Amino acid sequence: MKKTVAVCTLGCKVNQYESEAVLELFLKAGYQMVDFSESAMVYVVNTCTVTHLSDRKSRQMIRRAKQKNPNSVLVVMGCYAQTNPEAVTAIQDVDIVLGTAQRSEVVALTESFLQQKEPVCLVGNIDGIDFEPLSVNGSVDDHTRAYLKVQDGCNQFCSYCIIPYARGRIRSRTLADTVQEAARLANAGFKELVLTGIHLASWGKDSGEGNLLTLLKELQLVEGLSRIRLGSLEPTLCDEPFVRGVATLSKVCHHFHLSLQSGCDATLKRMNRKYTTAQYGQAVAWIRNYMPEAAITTDIIAGFPGETEAEFNETMAFVEQLYLADAHIFPYSPRKGTPAAVMEGQISPEIKEVRTHQLLQLTEKSREQFAQSFIGQNLWVLFERKTEPGLYEGKTEQYVTVYVKTEENLIGQIRQVTLTAFEYGSLYGVVTESAEP
């Protein structure tokens, strides 16, 4: 049988990066990539456990994997596998379980299974382990944006979150290794790198190599790289020195995803978040002071245990004044093993649904207003794909989607665009400059 591999990825950008790294290991070993819906010799399911729906989706994809080829090898890795190895191994036909460590050994383990036919589960204690040296070279993804994982683990232990148990304590990729991979990806033609990590703001705290601003200054020097986009950040990172420093770096996109979770101080305290709404508001103020056109995006949880109607209204009022470019809204999902799962005052699914809908309506209005504010302006757009004949889609620095109608092939180019209209929830414009900034 031809050596083929198919990968299914659930969850966050870190998972997407790790899936690509694992896929590249298989390609280097002589395997060919096929779609997950096709017959393959090896299936890899990279799982997520951030919500109970993530758990269910992970189980569904694990069960679906071998439908096309019952004789294939099924590898399960990721956060759900790390926190629930017994549940994963109990699923019929699972052959190799890795969790969130030892992914670099996946090809050797697969080849061994093909010879021995003995299932293996290597999930163990991940506290105290080093940053795993996975890397990508851009040989898989033909897009214009690449993820660059620079950090793993989290020490925050928010009361609702299972991720510290799935990922372990903070650990940073070395500065030299990060810059080397950035250079490789730039040489492979990627215009934009998205820095990812489980707790990106903690980069360097464990290694003594500096802080996230130190890393950004080094990446700014990488030749051929046009954009550096930051992943999710803690608002406490965005003090005036950090924001002022970022504003001087021309390649860093003016897009800040600051996790909010709640706009009520009492709720934030129950969540064990390490900031107040006043501190969050100050971070936003610093960003807008130094980069007035910057996009602020966020995550918000609706219906956290004990959230009264008055507390929810505080969140609504606070979010309304933030003028967000976008927001991800999630109903609270209990995670077994976390303090919030056993808190008093659990909110009914019906109330969580109503509050989620209200926040979605509020933030959608804000998103449209933010996008429309750019009409008449000239912005640099990185074009990523052709959505239909003569219509190209790209993203601004602020991660606002822009469409341009043209017969010219714009994929992979950064072009200046005059924004002329807002239709069907998106911006449209015309190309005005042919050279990159």
Side-chain angles (χ1 to χ4, degrees), residues 37-56:
S37 62
E38 300 177 22
S39 177
M41 176 184 284
V42 181
Y43 292 97
V44 179
V45 180
N46 193 359
T47 61
C48 176
T49 191
V50 71
T51 68
H52 73 279
L53 293 176
S54 304
D55 288 354
R56 187 168 70 185

Side-chain angles (χ1 to χ4, degrees), residues 191 226-227 380-382 412-416 434-437:
K191 301 287 188 182
S226 299
R227 286 182 176 180
W380 294 99
V381 177
L382 171 56
Q413 297 186 50
I414 296 179
R415 303 286 288 274
Q416 192 178 74
S434 59
E436 291 190 18

Side-chain angles (χ1 to χ4, degrees), residues 213 238-249 286-287 290-291:
L213 184 58
C238 295
D239 57 15
E240 186 177 15
F242 177 81
V243 174
R244 185 175 61 242
V246 168
T248 68
L249 302 176
W286 286 130
I287 292 168
Y290 286 97
M291 293 163 276

Side-chain angles (χ1 to χ4, degrees), residues 279-316:
Q279 290 171 306
Y280 189 99
Q282 181 62 74
V284 171
W286 286 130
I287 292 168
R288 296 230 164 99
N289 179 58
Y290 286 97
M291 293 163 276
E293 82 297 348
I296 309 290
T297 58
T298 198
D299 305 303
I300 306 171
I301 296 173
F304 187 76
E307 184 184 66
T308 64
E309 192 69 27
E311 289 180 345
F312 175 70
N313 288 336
E314 283 186 47
T315 292
M316 288 286 287

Side-chain angles (χ1 to χ4, degrees), residues 10 12 14-15 18 45-50 55 58 76-85 88 98-100 103 123 126 152 162-167 198:
L10 299 126
C12 66
V14 174
N15 265 16
E18 290 166 347
V45 180
N46 193 359
T47 61
C48 176
T49 191
V50 71
D55 288 354
S58 294
V76 180
M77 64 184 202
C79 293
Y80 180 64
Q82 182 67 41
T83 57
N84 294 278
V88 172
L98 293 178
T100 56
R103 278 76 53 92
V123 176
I126 54 175
D152 208 339
I162 194 69
I163 299 306
Y165 307 94
R167 288 283 177 169
I198 298 301

